[in-house]
Amino acid sequence: MSKVTLGDVAFERRETYKGDKSGMPIIGLEHLTPEEITLKSWDTDTDNTFTKVFHEGDILFGRRRAYLKKAALAPFEGICSGDITVICANPESISPELLPFVIQNDSFFDYAVGKSAGSLSPRVKWEHLQNYEFELPDMDTQRNLAKVLWAMNDTAESYKRLISATDELVKSQFIEMFGDPDTNPKQWAVKSIGDIATDVHYGTSKPAIEGGIYPYLRMNNLTADGYIDLTDLKYIDLPENEMDGCLVHYGDILFNRTNSKEWVGKTALFDLDQDMVIAGYIIRVRVNSEVLPCFLVKYMNLPYMKKMLRGMAKGAVHQANINAKEMQSIKLYIPPLELQQQFAELVRQTDKSKFVVQKAVEITYSQKRLFKTTNT
């Protein structure tokens, strides 16, 4: 094993595209999925200002808000956002098949976050990333290691497809039981979230700190499908007189009020026994007995609702916003409570199955601990 820096084995690609963008794959930050090494979405329209070129085999690293852990292998060539750093392997120094795992790695992201500058939208530069230091084996070992890691990644992807199929089953069951929310074919009573809410409150704007007492939920802790993810959990200290408004309990509904238009409006159910504090970008909602929190969260995560929320969001594509008043204006139908309870039981049973599969996914992600930085 030898100690190297990222700049020793890779370089930043700085090509600019000046031709016709018709049919050209376009990658923005919203197309990079946190902690996913495989690129799964992109656009092919020409309505953008992107000019940065990437080639097949390059790594696309989200340099803005590096804590989101966005980095993926490019399966083709195209152009991307200026907030993406295009990293290319030097094949004489590192296996191109291994480099994606060096980048999509907790140690690297921690380093990138530490070198980021800016308060509202921190970014990290290649001049800092290139100094990231890690241990690298000889080339034969690298190739063998890459084969193992890609096999593990393929296994994890299979597990994820199973989880996704389970989620689709729940969504289809929701529509079967309650009907399309767009047309309300069963003619359920319709109310706004404000009508059924007993409490609506923003979280705290104070930052997380080292050695904080209270677990601190931020926007990245809400998943796109309505759950709480504690993978990157921070901590905070707050005086007692500020706790009540931003403390969340079991059964609270958490609404992500700002982010890119792709992620604004993420709605998750807080189903943990330990109380936690929420950040100011999250709205805490508590509802009356007409609606089960599980039902409301699943309703808000339907494809129809996600599309509607993207349309509601105001502001720039990468910094859209839905405030508490706007969120409370959202309409939903109210089925009988007994029917909601039947659906909630179905969700509980499928969540048990998903938990087992998710544990298998986590085991296959052990590669994130293979590379250790010596930087501070």
Side-chain angles (χ1 to χ4, degrees):
M1 300 280 281
S2 59
K3 192 173 293 183
V4 300
T5 66
L6 183 60
D8 292 333
V9 300
F11 61 91
E12 180 187 15
R13 190 182 297 281
R14 294 187 175 184
E15 295 181 32
T16 300
Y17 187 81
K18 299 180 180 179
D20 181 9
K21 296 179 182 178
S22 300
M24 178 71 71
I26 307 294
I27 306 297
L29 280 178
E30 68 274 14
H31 297 115
L32 303 181
T33 304
E35 300 189 82
E36 289 280 352
I37 205 167
T38 306
L39 185 66
K40 297 177 180 176
S41 67
W42 54 88
D43 287 330
T44 54
D45 59 70
T46 58
D47 185 21
N48 65 83
T49 58
F50 300 164
T51 59
K52 185 179 289 189
V53 172
F54 64 85
H55 292 280
E56 181 178 352
D58 289 346
I59 296 92
L60 307 178
F61 168 76
R63 71 184 190 93
R64 183 165 68 91
R65 294 177 178 166
Y67 57 81
L68 294 177
K69 302 183 178 181
K70 292 186 172 185
L73 180 67
F76 43 67
E77 67 176 40
I79 55 177
C80 65
S81 165
D83 281 327
I84 293 175
T85 297
V86 180
I87 303 174
C88 184
N90 179 353
E92 295 181 357
S93 303
I94 189 170
S95 166
E97 290 76 25
L98 183 63
L99 182 60
F101 294 97
V102 177
I103 304 300
Q104 180 55 261
N105 182 279
D106 286 345
S107 293
F108 180 74
F109 285 119
D110 289 343
Y111 177 83
V113 170
K115 298 299 181 181
S116 297
S119 56
L120 181 62
S121 189
R123 291 171 171 83
V124 61
K125 297 180 179 179
W126 172 253
E127 65 185 68
H128 296 122
L129 294 176
Q130 66 181 347
N131 295 322
Y132 172 73
E133 197 172 61
F134 60 100
E135 293 186 339
L136 189 66
D138 62 76
M139 190 62 73
D140 286 341
T141 303
Q142 289 181 43
R143 294 191 186 99
N144 290 332
L145 180 57
K147 289 179 181 178
V148 172
L149 293 178
W150 278 111
M152 294 171 67
N153 186 76
D154 291 344
T155 300
E157 289 298 317
S158 297
Y159 287 140
K160 288 178 181 178
R161 285 192 291 271
L162 180 58
I163 292 174
S164 179
T166 303
D167 288 337
E168 290 304 313
L169 173 64
V170 171
K171 290 176 184 177
S172 64
Q173 189 63 33
F174 186 103
I175 298 300
E176 182 175 333
M177 293 178 69
F178 305 118
D180 186 341
D182 186 25
T183 58
N184 189 14
K186 299 180 185 291
Q187 298 297 300
W188 307 121
V190 175
K191 293 187 177 182
S192 69
I193 291 178
D195 292 333
I196 60 172
T198 60
D199 175 87
V200 176
H201 210 287
Y202 291 112
T204 179
S205 60
K206 292 186 176 179
I209 62 170
E210 284 291 331
I213 298 175
Y214 305 104
Y216 190 37
L217 294 177
R218 299 163 298 145
M219 65 174 74
N220 58 299
N221 296 120
L222 310 188
T223 71
D225 54 352
Y227 294 90
I228 302 297
D229 180 3
L230 303 181
T231 302
D232 183 25
L233 184 64
K234 303 295 184 182
Y235 290 82
I236 191 172
D237 281 343
L238 284 179
E240 286 295 324
N241 62 349
E242 295 181 21
M243 287 293 294
D244 183 60
C246 50
L247 201 65
V248 292
H249 311 306
Y250 184 94
D252 285 351
I253 298 161
L254 306 181
F255 180 87
N256 185 50
R257 68 182 179 89
T258 187
N259 206 320
S260 69
K261 284 204 173 184
E262 182 70 17
W263 300 115
V264 69
K266 284 193 299 182
T267 308
L269 177 64
F270 187 77
D271 58 355
L272 305 176
D273 292 325
Q274 179 184 9
D275 291 350
M276 297 185 181
V277 172
I278 53 170
Y281 291 135
I282 298 174
I283 301 173
R284 182 190 72 192
V285 182
R286 293 171 181 163
V287 294
N288 63 27
S289 59
E290 294 180 79
V291 173
L292 295 181
C294 173
F295 169 83
L296 179 53
V297 168
K298 294 301 181 184
Y299 184 97
M300 295 291 287
N301 280 286
L302 292 172
Y304 166 81
M305 288 302 299
K306 286 183 177 292
K307 181 179 179 180
M308 191 197 77
L309 290 168
R310 286 195 295 271
M312 285 181 62
K314 296 180 175 63
V317 172
H318 300 300
Q319 195 65 45
N321 184 72
I322 298 175
N323 62 37
K325 183 178 180 180
E326 293 165 336
M327 181 272 296
Q328 291 179 81
S329 72
I330 295 171
K331 302 287 186 180
L332 71 156
Y333 52 49
I334 313 292
L337 193 60
E338 182 180 356
L339 200 59
Q340 294 183 46
Q341 290 169 339
Q342 292 176 20
F343 177 74
E345 179 58 29
L346 169 68
V347 172
R348 278 191 288 271
Q349 293 302 321
T350 56
D351 280 350
K352 287 180 182 179
S353 300
K354 285 173 58 179
F355 177 79
V356 175
V357 178
Q358 186 61 45
K359 285 299 180 183
V361 172
E362 292 171 4
I363 291 173
T364 63
Y365 276 172
S366 60
Q367 73 263 24
K368 286 186 174 290
R369 295 186 292 273
L370 287 175
F371 297 99
K372 302 296 182 182
T373 177
T374 57
N375 293 280
T376 57

